[in-house]
Each structure stands twice: as structure tokens, then as C-alpha cells.
């Protein structure tokens, strides 16, 4: 059952989305060589607290996790690409950092992620980030009434295939509303023209993630969360919460 939101409910999700976007961009400003992932988590925690927002990540334990998450952001560095648990690791010059944040205000949720380089960027990392952001833009552009869920995934997958990056279809996008993870699952690939028909009032988190490749398998760290490429190549992730409206896609996670 895919929940439809009223325009007023979408505005409440946008309020949460603004806080999430502010948290992500504040973390980006603070991210520098010598700063620890735990310090960045504190930066995001302060943003959420001062906005009266509740973290969707802290204490979260979905079916695949062996322990509750501890942190308000996921901080995935270099060959870690998703679900990075904030720890005492300090950033170094040239790191590729993915930050993911989810928060709710008055029970309405938003979820977004950004990837960026710390200090001096490597060209291949900038290209990977650009590909991931292009895939997110293509997925969002396909999120229009009359299209189907498969059209979002196909648009994302096409960008990844054309760029020759490493892909894995686990952990794609999802419906979002009063809970962070709702139906439907949105794969980051596959064929268009299939799946749920899109209509105004649906809200989705769209979130491509890629590796420089060529690998497509991952390992989970002993912390039970941090997802790392098996061949140690670097990864990037980008995510927005997007409402389907009669006028087209409406991104709710902008500052
Ligand atoms: Mg997220
Ligand atoms: Mg998400």
C-alpha cells in the first residue's frame, strides 16, 4: 500500500527536508583533514536539536542490522559507500566522504545524502560524484505522474552503465512519509515501463550509489553497519526526498 500525501502533508515533509539539508551542508563545511567522523555527527546532532527535529537513524535497527545504529548521520569514507557508522576515524586530505541524514519533525520524515571530497580532490572521485549526481537528477526527472517506478530505476541505471561505474542493486530508494522506509522499493537499475504507476501525492527517497568499479560486491565491517566495496574501490551516494506533483517532481530536501 503506497501512501498518498496531501499538499499540506508534503509541506510538513519539506520542513523536515530543510533541516536535513542544513545538517548535511553544515557537516560539509566542517569536514576537513583531522576532523573525526564522531565530531561531524555532533555537528549534525546540534543542527537537528536546535530545529526540534528527531533523528531517524539514531537507534534504528532494520532487519539486516545486528545492532542499532548509533549516530544521526551515516559517514562513509572512500571504499565505504553506505551506512558508515560515525567513529573516531579522522579525515585526511583527499578523502571521499558520503554523508546521509534522516530526520522528522512532528512525525513527518525526510532523508537525503551528499558526497564530496575533503581537501585536495582526486579527478576520478570528482567524476564518480558527478555521475552519481547525474543519476539522481535523471531519476528525479523520471518521477512524474504517468511514469512507473521502473522508469526511475532505468533512468538511474542508464547513467551508471554509460559511465562504466560499478553498481549493485541492493539498497535502492524507497517510499517515505510518516516512516523513513515505506513501500515501494526503488531499484537503482532495471527496465523501464514496469512497476507501480506514479501519481501525485507519492513521496520517494531516490538514492543512486556507485563505485568507481569494476566490482559490484561488498563487505560489512565488524561494526555491523559500514558497507564497503569488496575490491576497495571508492563509492559515492546521492539522495533526495522527492514529491510527485501534477507539475512534476518537487525536491523536499533543499536548504
Ligand atoms: Mg538516506
Ligand atoms: Mg534513503
Amino acid at each position: 500500500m503506497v501512501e498518498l500525501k496531501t499538499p499540506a502533508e508534503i509541506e510538513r515533509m519539506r520542513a523536515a527536508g530543510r533541516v536535513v539539508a542544513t545538517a548535511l551542508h553544515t557537516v560539509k563545511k566542517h569536514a576537513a583533514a583531522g576532523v573525526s567522523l564522531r565530531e561531524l555527527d555532533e555537528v549534525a546532532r546540534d543542527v537537528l536539536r536546535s530545529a526540534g527535529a528527531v533523528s531517524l537513524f539514531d537507534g534504528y535497527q532494520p532487519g539486516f542490522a545486528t545492532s542499532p545504529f548509533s549516530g544521526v548521520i551515516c559517514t562513509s569514507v572512500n571504499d565505504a559507500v553506505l551506512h558508515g557508522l560515525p567513529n573516531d576515524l579522522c579525515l585526511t586530505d583527499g578523502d571521499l566522504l558520503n554523508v546521509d541524514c534522516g530526520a522528522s519533525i512532528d512525525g513527518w520524515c525526510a532523508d537525503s545524502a551528499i558526497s564530496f571530497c575533503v581537501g585536495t580532490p582526486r579527478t576520478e572521485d570528482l567524476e564518480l560524484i558527478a555521475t552519481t549526481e547525474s543519476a539522481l537528477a535523471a531519476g528525479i526527472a523520471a518521477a512524474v505522474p504517468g511514469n512507473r517506478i521502473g522508469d526511475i530505476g532505468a533512468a538511474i541505471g542508464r547513467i551508471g552503465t554509460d559511465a562504466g561505474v560499478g553498481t549493485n542493486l541492493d539498497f535502492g530508494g524507497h517510499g517515505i512519509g510518516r516512516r523513513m522506509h515505506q513501500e515501494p522499493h526503488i531499484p537503482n537499475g532495471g527496465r523501464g515501463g514496469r512497476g507501480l504507476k506514479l501519481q501525485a501525492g507519492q513521496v520517494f527517497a531516490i538514492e543512486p550509489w556507485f563505485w568507481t568499479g569494476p566490482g559490484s560486491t561488498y563487505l560489512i565491517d565488524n561494526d555491523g553497519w559500514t558497507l564497503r566495496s569488496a575490491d576497495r574501490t571508492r563509492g559515492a551516494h546521492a539522495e533526495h526526498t522527492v514529491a510527485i506533483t501534477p507539475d512534476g517532481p518537487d525536491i523536499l530536501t533543499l536548504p
Side-chain angles (χ1 to χ4, degrees):
M1 173 72 192
V2 174
E3 186 181 273
L4 294 182
K5 285 82 175 176
T6 65
E9 289 169 341
I10 289 171
E11 289 315 307
R12 299 182 75 174
M13 294 184 71
R14 193 191 311 278
R18 281 203 190 98
V19 177
V20 167
T22 301
L24 290 176
H25 287 90
T26 308
V27 165
K28 183 177 179 179
K29 254 189 287 179
H30 280 78
V35 175
S36 77
L37 302 180
R38 221 183 284 278
E39 287 173 81
L40 294 180
D41 186 63
E42 280 304 319
V43 165
R45 205 175 280 273
D46 282 346
V47 172
L48 266 51
R49 193 184 294 125
S50 62
V54 176
S55 171
L56 300 172
F57 292 5
D58 210 20
Y60 187 54
Q61 187 171 7
F64 67 82
T66 53
S67 58
F69 193 81
S70 171
V72 305
I73 51 173
C74 299
T75 50
S76 307
V77 182
N78 298 338
D79 59 330
V81 60
L82 294 178
H83 308 157
L85 197 69
N87 56 24
D88 290 322
L89 178 84
C90 286
L91 294 169
T92 60
D93 189 56
D95 278 348
L96 168 51
L97 176 61
N98 312 323
V99 184
D100 195 338
C101 184
S104 68
I105 294 183
D106 298 330
W108 290 97
C109 302
D111 185 11
S112 182
I114 57 173
S115 295
F116 55 90
C117 297
V118 177
T120 319
R122 308 195 321 186
T123 305
E124 62 265 40
D125 292 345
L126 292 176
E127 286 171 357
L128 181 68
I129 293 167
T131 298
T132 310
E133 289 176 351
S134 295
L136 175 57
I140 291 171
V144 294
N147 264 359
R148 292 181 180 272
I149 283 291
D151 294 312
I152 299 176
I156 289 170
R158 204 173 299 124
I159 299 282
T161 303
D162 288 352
V165 293
T167 58
N168 180 296
L169 294 187
D170 291 358
F171 301 107
H174 49 92
I176 180 169
R178 283 183 227 256
R179 281 181 299 109
M180 171 166 58
H181 289 133
Q182 298 184 327
E183 290 178 39
H185 172 69
I186 308 176
N188 286 326
R191 279 168 54 191
R194 298 197 295 193
L196 176 80
K197 198 156 195 179
L198 305 186
Q199 63 181 107
Q202 293 164 344
V203 183
F204 303 131
I206 300 175
E207 49 179 316
W209 59 283
F210 297 130
W211 287 299
T212 48
S216 59
T217 56
Y218 56 80
L219 308 165
I220 306 289
D221 281 4
N222 287 336
D223 64 19
W225 279 97
T226 306
L227 188 153
R228 205 174 285 283
S229 65
D231 61 6
R232 312 311 293 264
T233 55
R234 292 186 170 193
H237 175 212
E239 177 179 24
H240 272 307
T241 295
V242 180
I244 314 289
T245 81
D247 305 320
D250 184 1
I251 300 173
L252 305 182
T253 37
L254 295 174

